mmCIF file of all heavy atoms in Angstrom:
data_model
loop_
_atom_site.group_PDB
_atom_site.id
_atom_site.type_symbol
_atom_site.label_atom_id
_atom_site.label_comp_id
_atom_site.label_asym_id
_atom_site.label_seq_id
_atom_site.Cartn_x
_atom_site.Cartn_y
_atom_site.Cartn_z
ATOM 1 N N ASP A 83 -104.395 141.083 -46.816
ATOM 2 C CA ASP A 83 -105.484 140.669 -47.687
ATOM 3 C C ASP A 83 -106.352 139.640 -46.949
ATOM 4 O O ASP A 83 -105.826 138.634 -46.449
ATOM 5 C CB ASP A 83 -104.936 140.057 -48.970
ATOM 6 C CG ASP A 83 -106.037 139.537 -49.875
ATOM 7 O OD1 ASP A 83 -106.792 140.351 -50.410
ATOM 8 O OD2 ASP A 83 -106.148 138.292 -50.009
ATOM 9 N N GLY A 97 -90.956 135.827 -35.088
ATOM 10 C CA GLY A 97 -90.488 137.197 -35.073
ATOM 11 C C GLY A 97 -91.604 138.220 -35.093
ATOM 12 O O GLY A 97 -91.422 139.346 -35.560
ATOM 13 N N ALA A 113 -86.204 119.047 -41.045
ATOM 14 C CA ALA A 113 -86.233 118.301 -39.793
ATOM 15 C C ALA A 113 -86.452 116.803 -39.990
ATOM 16 O O ALA A 113 -86.387 116.042 -39.021
ATOM 17 C CB ALA A 113 -87.329 118.864 -38.880
ATOM 18 N N ASN A 123 -88.882 117.736 -62.727
ATOM 19 C CA ASN A 123 -89.321 117.596 -64.117
ATOM 20 C C ASN A 123 -89.914 118.921 -64.585
ATOM 21 O O ASN A 123 -90.823 119.449 -63.964
ATOM 22 C CB ASN A 123 -90.380 116.482 -64.216
ATOM 23 C CG ASN A 123 -91.515 116.655 -63.212
ATOM 24 O OD1 ASN A 123 -91.279 116.824 -62.031
ATOM 25 N ND2 ASN A 123 -92.750 116.640 -63.699
ATOM 26 N N GLY A 149 -85.659 128.817 -61.518
ATOM 27 C CA GLY A 149 -85.629 130.267 -61.426
ATOM 28 C C GLY A 149 -85.906 130.736 -60.015
ATOM 29 O O GLY A 149 -86.936 130.378 -59.428
ATOM 30 N N VAL A 151 -86.905 133.728 -58.893
ATOM 31 C CA VAL A 151 -87.409 134.903 -59.614
ATOM 32 C C VAL A 151 -87.922 136.012 -58.698
ATOM 33 O O VAL A 151 -88.533 136.970 -59.166
ATOM 34 C CB VAL A 151 -88.549 134.469 -60.572
ATOM 35 C CG1 VAL A 151 -88.037 133.480 -61.605
ATOM 36 C CG2 VAL A 151 -89.718 133.861 -59.782
ATOM 37 N N GLY A 156 -90.603 141.742 -56.866
ATOM 38 C CA GLY A 156 -90.524 142.659 -55.744
ATOM 39 C C GLY A 156 -90.382 141.996 -54.397
ATOM 40 O O GLY A 156 -90.611 142.639 -53.363
ATOM 41 N N ALA A 188 -81.284 123.070 -67.054
ATOM 42 C CA ALA A 188 -80.751 122.002 -66.210
ATOM 43 C C ALA A 188 -79.238 121.926 -66.293
ATOM 44 O O ALA A 188 -78.571 121.593 -65.302
ATOM 45 C CB ALA A 188 -81.380 120.667 -66.611
ATOM 46 N N ASP A 219 -82.537 99.033 -49.430
ATOM 47 C CA ASP A 219 -82.104 97.633 -49.469
ATOM 48 C C ASP A 219 -80.799 97.370 -48.735
ATOM 49 O O ASP A 219 -80.534 96.223 -48.354
ATOM 50 C CB ASP A 219 -81.940 97.167 -50.920
ATOM 51 C CG ASP A 219 -83.260 97.105 -51.673
ATOM 52 O OD1 ASP A 219 -84.317 97.107 -51.011
ATOM 53 O OD2 ASP A 219 -83.227 97.050 -52.912
ATOM 54 N N VAL A 224 -81.493 103.667 -38.918
ATOM 55 C CA VAL A 224 -81.006 104.556 -37.871
ATOM 56 C C VAL A 224 -79.740 105.270 -38.332
ATOM 57 O O VAL A 224 -79.567 106.477 -38.109
ATOM 58 C CB VAL A 224 -80.767 103.767 -36.567
ATOM 59 C CG1 VAL A 224 -80.133 104.659 -35.506
ATOM 60 C CG2 VAL A 224 -82.080 103.187 -36.052
ATOM 61 N N VAL A 226 -78.830 106.029 -41.409
ATOM 62 C CA VAL A 226 -79.159 107.035 -42.416
ATOM 63 C C VAL A 226 -79.835 108.236 -41.774
ATOM 64 O O VAL A 226 -79.532 109.391 -42.103
ATOM 65 C CB VAL A 226 -80.037 106.425 -43.527
ATOM 66 C CG1 VAL A 226 -80.577 107.512 -44.455
ATOM 67 C CG2 VAL A 226 -79.241 105.402 -44.333
#
Side-chain angles (χ1 to χ4, degrees):
D83 177 68
N123 51 309
V151 298
D219 293 343
V224 175
V226 171

